[in-house]
Amino acid sequence: MRKIEVCCTSLDEVREAAAGGAVRVELCTAITCGGVTPSHGMIQSVVEAELGVDVNVLIRARDGGFCYSAAEVETMCRDIEYCRAAGVHGVVIGALTPEGDLDMEACRRMVTAADGMSITFHRAFDICNKPLEALEQIIELGCDRLLTSGQESTAEAGAEFIAQLVERAAGRIIIMPGAGVKPNNIARIEQVSGATEFHSTAAVDAQDCAYRGHAVSFAAYPQREGIIRHSAREVVAQLVGR
């Protein structure tokens, strides 16, 4: 049976992921920009809920690219230390140089801070130079898995390159497709890539319950005003193949 990791932005979403059969969640916030590190309060609430899924936390200091200042790396290391103390299962990390290579110094600092935790390298990989060389560096760092869309906008589009990564990894690291993984395409991605773990938001649209008495929009796209996306157990179950 395929394993599903669900990207969640709240305790309610983690409950949905667990009910649908996910084996793991990746906690983050600000998912519209690809996600950043969630609050300590949210991390603590999810860990204390003990919902029977592994809890990984995205370690990303800000939106934008993945080239970080020394101060930002220090912040991320401190977030990792908090996660370890809080009982989090794993962290999701990554950093690049201005030239698009892996920032091995920053990554090693984060790996050291995560001593004893599971480590996933995130989709910074998808915009790096020399991805096959980067794969070997990620393995050298001691990461347990690599989250990737195969250097394409979606995992479906990148499935053939993901298959190359699976073959090259040869069991030394888990290659986990993510980006646009949905019930209607996961079987094809699985067949083409040979992957066994998949990452998805497993989300549906819902209307929020806010009173709207004035024509003021806070959404980046006005047509999305009042629409929220949240992980749903029925979508997770479809991804799992129940």
Side-chain angles (χ1 to χ4, degrees):
M1 184 171 68
R2 67 174 71 113
K3 296 180 179 179
I4 301 298
E5 173 184 283
V6 178
C7 183
C8 297
T9 61
S10 69
L11 175 56
D12 288 338
E13 286 192 305
V14 176
R15 293 187 191 280
E16 290 292 301
V23 298
R24 185 187 318 109
V25 296
E26 180 199 73
L27 292 183
C28 69
T29 191
I31 199 169
T32 54
C33 71
V36 296
T37 304
S39 72
H40 289 181
M42 186 175 111
I43 294 168
Q44 183 177 355
S45 295
V46 170
V47 171
E48 291 179 353
E50 296 183 348
L51 294 171
V53 293
D54 288 340
V55 178
N56 285 3
V57 173
L58 175 62
I59 303 298
R60 187 182 178 201
R62 53 162 172 76
D63 61 1
F66 302 101
C67 179
Y68 298 108
S69 69
E72 288 169 333
V73 173
E74 177 65 24
T75 294
M76 292 190 290
C77 287
R78 291 189 179 195
D79 279 335
I80 292 169
E81 290 166 358
Y82 170 81
C83 288
R84 191 177 71 241
V88 166
H89 174 260
V91 290
V92 184
I93 69 165
L96 301 177
T97 68
E99 296 74 31
D101 299 314
L102 263 62
D103 185 339
M104 292 296 284
E105 180 181 354
C107 289
R108 285 193 182 101
R109 283 196 61 194
M110 288 187 275
V111 168
T112 298
D115 183 40
M117 303 173 74
S118 176
I119 303 173
T120 298
F121 196 95
H122 59 51
R123 291 188 59 217
F125 173 85
D126 288 324
I127 58 171
C128 77
N129 287 322
K130 298 172 284 190
L132 296 182
E133 180 179 314
L135 173 64
E136 296 301 324
Q137 291 177 307
I138 291 166
I139 293 170
E140 177 191 336
L141 285 167
C143 296
D144 298 291
R145 66 180 49 78
L146 168 62
L147 170 61
T148 178
S149 62
Q151 296 210 312
E152 298 287 350
S153 58
T154 67
E156 185 173 17
E160 292 186 1
F161 184 56
I162 294 173
Q164 293 182 44
L165 295 173
V166 170
E167 182 178 8
R168 180 68 66 97
R172 294 176 294 159
I173 190 173
I174 296 165
I175 306 298
M176 181 171 62
V181 175
K182 302 175 182 178
N184 64 3
N185 65 13
I186 191 170
R188 180 182 180 279
I189 298 169
E190 184 177 43
Q191 180 181 22
V192 173
S193 69
T196 58
E197 295 190 11
F198 302 86
H199 174 96
S200 175
T201 59
V204 296
D205 282 346
Q207 186 74 42
D208 72 13
C209 57
Y211 166 72
R212 302 195 182 281
H214 302 279
V216 176
S217 177
F218 294 92
Y221 302 98
Q223 65 271 25
R224 296 286 299 174
E225 187 66 46
I227 302 296
I228 56 175
R229 295 274 284 166
H230 67 89
S231 302
R233 66 184 67 193
E234 61 270 21
V235 180
V236 179
Q238 291 174 50
L239 290 166
V240 170
R242 285 182 170 179

